[in-house]
Amino acid sequence: MSKKIPYRFYLTEDQMPTQWYNLRADMKEQPDPLLNPGTLEPLREEELYPIFCKELAAQEMDSKTRYFDIPEEIQEMYKIYRPSPLIRAYNLEKELGTPAKIYYKFEGNNTSGSHKLNSAIAQAYYAKKQGLTSLTTETGAGQWGTALSEACAYFGIPLTVYMVKCSFEQKPFRKAVMQTFDADVIPSPSETTQIGKKILAENPGTTGSLGCAISEAVEKATTTEGCRYVLGSVLNQVLLHQSIIGLEAKKAMELLEVYPDIVIGCAGGGSNLGGLIAPFMRDKLVDNKDIRFIAVEPASCPSLTRGKYAYDFCDTGKVTPMAKMYTLGCSFIPSANHAGGLRYHGMSPILSKLYHDGYMEAVSYEQTAVFEAAKLFARVETILPAPESSHAIKGAIEEALKCKETGEEKTILFGLTGTGYFDMTAYSAFHDGKMVDYIPTDEELEKAFEKLPKVDK
Amino acid sequence: MSKKIPYRFYLTEDQMPTQWYNLRADMKEQPDPLLNPGTLEPLREEELYPIFCKELAAQEMDSKTRYFDIPEEIQEMYKIYRPSPLIRAYNLEKELGTPAKIYYKFEGNNTSGSHKLNSAIAQAYYAKKQGLTSLTTETGAGQWGTALSEACAYFGIPLTVYMVKCSFEQKPFRKAVMQTFDADVIPSPSETTQIGKKILAENPGTTGSLGCAISEAVEKATTTEGCRYVLGSVLNQVLLHQSIIGLEAKKAMELLEVYPDIVIGCAGGGSNLGGLIAPFMRDKLVDNKDIRFIAVEPASCPSLTRGKYAYDFCDTGKVTPMAKMYTLGCSFIPSANHAGGLRYHGMSPILSKLYHDGYMEAVSYEQTAVFEAAKLFARVETILPAPESSHAIKGAIEEALKCKETGEEKTILFGLTGTGYFDMTAYSAFHDGKMVDYIPTDEELEKAFEKLPKVDK
């Protein structure tokens, strides 16, 4: 007889993971190394010190250590808002009439509204421990900026957030949340950096871009004593921290005596997906478990499904090291859409490698179809999902409907990364029938690919 | 040796309450009955049928039944977002340097963002069960409208929400959330009712009021076949449903082997406070437990601390029955402030009676002091509280600081009713130093008291 599965399942405090899991330690082939963009030689750890604090630089480069102890102080903060629940989507199953069993790991029940807090805490902690006196970052939609503001307020380290000017103006509430946590939120481009001044002089009316905000944040970090830059996705260190999601999910499923046939997550830079799948991917890599992984991305920014696997810059401003990844080219600017955090031109090198080697699948969906899934989900599961997360919902629904056709009772796990409370402009556009789908043409992509750096590796 | 208390404690699904608790059954003296405003005679249950569905009318009038079974369908929906966590505020204690042990019951982790959903579900369910075909309500700040939209979408019953026009215009995001759950949101006053048309004709530029929105919703309910009106606070039935908060809190504390010396809640209409204290108040009334209860209200709308205990109308439009309660007079309009839901002129008759009979205390705080408490709380506990809930935080902090002076290790429990994600305009005003405190003068209150109905009871 199978165990009775509750709607919501929480680990107890003493069942929570005390180590992060580093998936690279179990990968058969390693992702290609980061390159110094000047020499095109593999980057050495020390070269990262001016940007990242030492502990994080070490985590970034370490592909051998399988488990990293989570420092006591980080565990304490995790305990304030974690564990996140593993939820059985009984109502969604019923609504779809599917024999599939759908579970989701919900990361939205904290004030940052998403999983981003898991890594923000780690990055703020290590910065504080190293004696750094301030941090900088950029934010577009605002989830990462909010998460880092919370973490920095908690550990008492001042934070400057460069917020893309159009978001700064259109999302005053996001700004207000960050200010509640005492972050200094600056609309980018700004007069506080050389690069900002230059851009403003050249384009006085510009509303900014993520690339520009990154450049300002990096300049501020590298020109301010005791200051470092932090980033909320893409990096190996971020996937390491986010493994807490997958570790908790796996432990919860063990206790419930279930195991997923399919694991699904939305993919922008890859931090949530990488964190969710990590321990399950280990089962596939090490124990040959028969399990499918599906990355869901927006059709408007299809880095995995239509990008190239190539060396590229991690930022539009080309100031960062180069990474081998699926990319649309760092000059690619996705159309104005509401996919929020899923607008990055590239993809985590770890996930890119796994996808390239055939361990993971990828699909893309258009915006209105994703919001239709979001609305259905909200009605039956009572959670208003973030636009990003709704891509995973859409992916899960499609797989559940396939099960309905075949009659298979598959177990599906997906990551519900966050809530959409600050994305209501997008929902309004959807309600008012003003949402437009956009798919880049092959010509547009080719044009962006042509600008990829020429690296013979 | 005392038990180790986790940061967050969740009941398991099978530990969740299956009955609501009706505090009236254990009150030594009953609240005075509702009166028919025409005859001034005690209201009979049948007189409520045109407004409320039968089951809710029965709950409203029933002071004898101690426990009501929670219908299976409601329990199922509770399980989707409940139990809510009981959180030990270790960080707040540390920040204050108090020997007090502070716990809070956090009701904000659902899309409505507050405890309101607990009663919305019950009211939507009973309406559906009776075969009603639609519901109406009014909303000011939007929490109640959102909660009821969620509940109605879940049970498949159409809902019309009359939203005070200035909120409708200033809070487009709240409106968008309700629309996601398919509610028909109408700015009030509107052309859809006689009373709305009349008000618009007399005051073409009016931005509306809660009183007017109630009148429109009631008119719509009483003039539409199969339609009823529902209300989110004040009523006995609502306190009954909200007892789920206190029952869960008490059960959790029993399992942790702790018991509160003081229970604190914010008080607007009284639904959250009444629900939180219910089972603990029983201990005081029946078992003579030595426990203090503190209602915290805004200084701008001080119904308990400065109001009169008298018969009054429940609405500004004087279309409802009269209730004996602490009231500032139904003509009292609190100054424009950011206390959100705490702007009601009266107070739950149950709580009014308990306060009058000396079983409960009340305090009031000014707006900026409350937001200072909110900001401190957000930093150390990582939850951005609703302005309403922040009154309870302020109350708890004051009691904890008294413990610091006396060295007493009291156990404090307070209700954190919701999150402030849709209240960032208020937070911005606070950050920008534009928040103003306002306390009504004695003359203003006297003027409002003069308009109280003359009832010799």
Side-chain angles (χ1 to χ4, degrees), chain A residues 309-331:
Chain A
Y309 189 49
Y311 265 107
D312 194 8
F313 290 96
C314 297
D315 69 320
T316 317
K318 304 186 180 180
V319 299
T320 60
M322 288 196 284
K324 180 85 169 276
M325 59 184 174
Y326 277 85
T327 177
L328 299 165
C330 70
S331 68

Side-chain angles (χ1 to χ4, degrees), chain A residues 4-8 10-11 13 75-77 79-83 85 87 91 104 106 108-113 117 150 153-154 170 172-182 374-375 378-385 419 421-422 424-425 427-428 431-432, chain B residues 4-8 10-11 13 75-77 79-83 85 87 91 104 106 108-113 117 150 153-154 170 172-182 374-375 378-385 419 421-422 424-425 427-428 431-432:
Chain A
K4 185 178 177 286
I5 309 288
Y7 279 86
R8 295 197 156 210
Y10 292 92
L11 299 178
E13 207 168 79
Q75 285 192 48
E76 288 298 304
M77 194 179 174
K79 286 176 192 164
I80 299 178
Y81 70 97
R82 302 195 70 81
I87 307 180
N91 289 325
Y104 55 100
F106 178 40
N109 272 351
N110 67 75
T111 284
S112 81
L117 191 54
E150 272 198 79
Y154 181 85
Q170 284 166 16
F173 294 170
R174 271 285 181 202
K175 180 185 63 183
V177 177
M178 290 186 260
Q179 286 173 336
T180 304
F181 293 106
D182 283 330
K375 185 169 169 149
R379 176 166 58 80
V380 298
E381 293 291 324
T382 80
I383 294 170
L384 186 88
T419 51
Y421 307 143
F422 291 95
M424 295 319 298
T425 308
Y427 274 94
S428 287
H431 298 146
D432 299 345
Chain B
K4 183 174 179 286
I5 308 288
Y7 279 87
R8 294 197 156 210
Y10 292 94
L11 298 179
E13 207 168 78
Q75 285 191 46
E76 288 299 303
M77 193 178 174
K79 286 175 192 165
I80 298 178
Y81 71 98
R82 305 195 68 81
I87 306 179
N91 289 325
Y104 55 101
F106 178 40
N109 272 352
N110 67 76
T111 285
S112 81
L117 191 54
E150 273 198 80
Y154 181 85
Q170 286 167 12
F173 293 170
R174 271 284 182 203
K175 180 185 63 182
V177 178
M178 290 186 260
Q179 286 173 336
T180 304
F181 293 105
D182 283 330
K375 185 169 169 151
R379 177 167 57 80
V380 299
E381 292 290 324
T382 80
I383 295 170
L384 186 87
T419 51
Y421 307 142
F422 291 95
M424 295 318 297
T425 309
Y427 273 94
S428 286
H431 298 146
D432 299 345

